[in-house]
């Protein structure tokens, strides 16, 4: 069983704060690292897919970095807004998708 | 393009019964994966079908089975339901390569009484 760990488990921040969370994964047999945002009562929505060590991706106020050699990825949210409240999932893909348990973010207005 | 659809959206069953869930992938996608999510747990991988063949399987008992049809639609079956099978079941479709994004359906929420 392959372990993908995310930290922290949950996070409460004030509107306007910047925040980041971590996804740790095995550094062997790596194909890709995916980030998803999962809002309550909706389907998980893809944010980024990263495949190369050192990859950085950006979408608006959200960005992500990847270190495949040490097996971690960071997701950053700049100037958090209430609509950013969601669970953020990462998934490591080797021969299949392995999801972490997610980081639940609550942005307080 | 139409997204991934799942039917039914909600289901109530009793212990010992069986249930079949359906997933229609995005047009052109040949891979369908199924996941189970229970409170406090992440997405637990059940299995993946690609071109009508089971390509990968998670660590679930044999009561959980699936199949894929020639049009890529997939069904998941759970026999002899247990209370612990109460969960949200999500399917996701993709082109089938690990670098490609999986697109999720809205899920089927199953309650076993």
């Amino acid at each position: 069983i392959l372990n993908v760990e995310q930290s922290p488990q949950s996070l409460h921040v004030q509107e306007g704060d910047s925040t980041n969370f971590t996804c740790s994964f095995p550094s062997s047999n790596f194909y890709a690292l995916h980030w998803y945002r999962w809002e309550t009562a909706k389907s998980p929505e893809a944010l980024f897919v990263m495949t190369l060590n050192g990859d950085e991706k950006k979408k608006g106020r959200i960005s992500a970095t990847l270190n495949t050699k040490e097996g971690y990825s960071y997701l950053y949210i700049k100037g958090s807004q209430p609509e950013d409240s969601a669970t953020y999932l990462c998934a490591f893909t080797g021969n299949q998708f392995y999801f972490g348990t997610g980081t639940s973010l609550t942005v307080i207005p | 393009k139409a997204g991934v659809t799942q039917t039914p959206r909600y289901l109530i069953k009793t212990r010992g019964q069986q249930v079949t869930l359906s997933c229609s992938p995005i047009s052109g996608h040949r891979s369908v994966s199924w996941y189970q999510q229970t409170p406090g747990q992440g997405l637990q991988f059940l299995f993946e079908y690609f071109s009508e063949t089971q390509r990968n399987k998670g660590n679930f008992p044999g009561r959980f089975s699936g199949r894929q049809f020639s049009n890529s639609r997939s069904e998941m079956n759970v026999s002899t339901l247990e209370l612990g099978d109460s969960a949200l079941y999500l399917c996701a479709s993709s082109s089938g390569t690990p670098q490609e994004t999986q697109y999720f359906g809205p899920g089927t929420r199953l309650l076993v009484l």
Side-chain angles (χ1 to χ4, degrees):
Chain A
I1 293 177
L2 192 145
N3 234 10
V4 177
E5 294 182 354
Q6 291 188 246
S7 62
Q9 194 172 13
S10 67
L11 198 51
H12 290 72
V13 300
Q14 291 291 136
E15 182 176 352
D17 286 351
S18 294
T19 187
N20 66 86
F21 13 97
T22 307
C23 173
S24 301
F25 53 87
S27 51
S28 58
N29 298 321
F30 176 87
Y31 283 100
L33 193 284
H34 303 250
W35 281 100
Y36 287 82
R37 174 169 57 204
W38 195 358
E39 295 178 68
T40 304
K42 293 187 177 179
S43 310
E45 173 200 354
L47 288 172
F48 306 115
V49 54
M50 294 181 287
T51 56
L52 297 175
N53 185 45
D55 254 356
E56 291 187 26
K57 298 274 181 157
K58 191 166 190 263
K59 186 176 181 179
R61 295 177 291 97
I62 304 178
S63 60
T65 60
L66 178 67
N67 184 323
T68 59
K69 292 184 179 175
E70 295 181 40
Y72 65 83
S73 175
Y74 294 135
L75 188 80
Y76 301 91
I77 302 179
K78 187 177 174 183
S80 302
Q81 299 296 308
E83 58 265 31
D84 296 328
S85 297
T87 295
Y88 291 83
L89 295 170
C90 69
F92 162 92
T93 52
N95 63 331
Q96 65 185 60
F97 274 62
Y98 298 91
F99 280 88
T101 51
T103 292
S104 173
L105 173 68
T106 303
V107 182
I108 304 162
Chain B
K1 258 188 190 178
V4 179
T5 58
Q6 289 186 246
T7 56
R9 294 292 311 277
Y10 303 93
L11 206 47
I12 300 176
K13 291 284 187 180
T14 55
R15 275 184 303 174
Q17 287 188 308
Q18 74 162 21
V19 67
T20 299
L21 312 182
S22 180
C23 172
S24 292
I26 290 171
S27 177
H29 284 181
R30 293 163 66 190
S31 168
V32 173
S33 296
W34 288 90
Y35 297 88
Q36 181 197 65
Q37 201 233 3
T38 50
Q41 298 286 320
L43 290 174
Q44 305 293 311
F45 173 73
L46 282 152
F47 29 65
E48 180 206 5
Y49 284 86
F50 181 83
S51 294
E52 301 181 65
T53 301
Q54 188 180 85
R55 187 160 73 168
N56 286 298
K57 189 177 187 308
N59 193 28
F60 277 80
R63 300 184 297 108
F64 292 81
S65 63
R67 58 178 176 168
Q68 188 178 34
F69 302 95
S70 58
N71 62 358
S72 292
R73 188 176 71 85
S74 177
E75 287 182 348
M76 188 191 95
N77 184 275
V78 188
S79 62
T80 319
L81 283 165
E82 300 177 359
L83 296 179
D85 296 333
S86 295
L88 178 68
Y89 291 88
L90 289 165
C91 80
S93 79
S94 75
S95 62
T97 60
Q99 296 88 343
E100 294 295 320
T101 296
Q102 287 191 343
Y103 295 88
F104 284 85
T108 294
R109 190 163 292 282
L110 171 66
L111 178 60
V112 182
L113 300 175

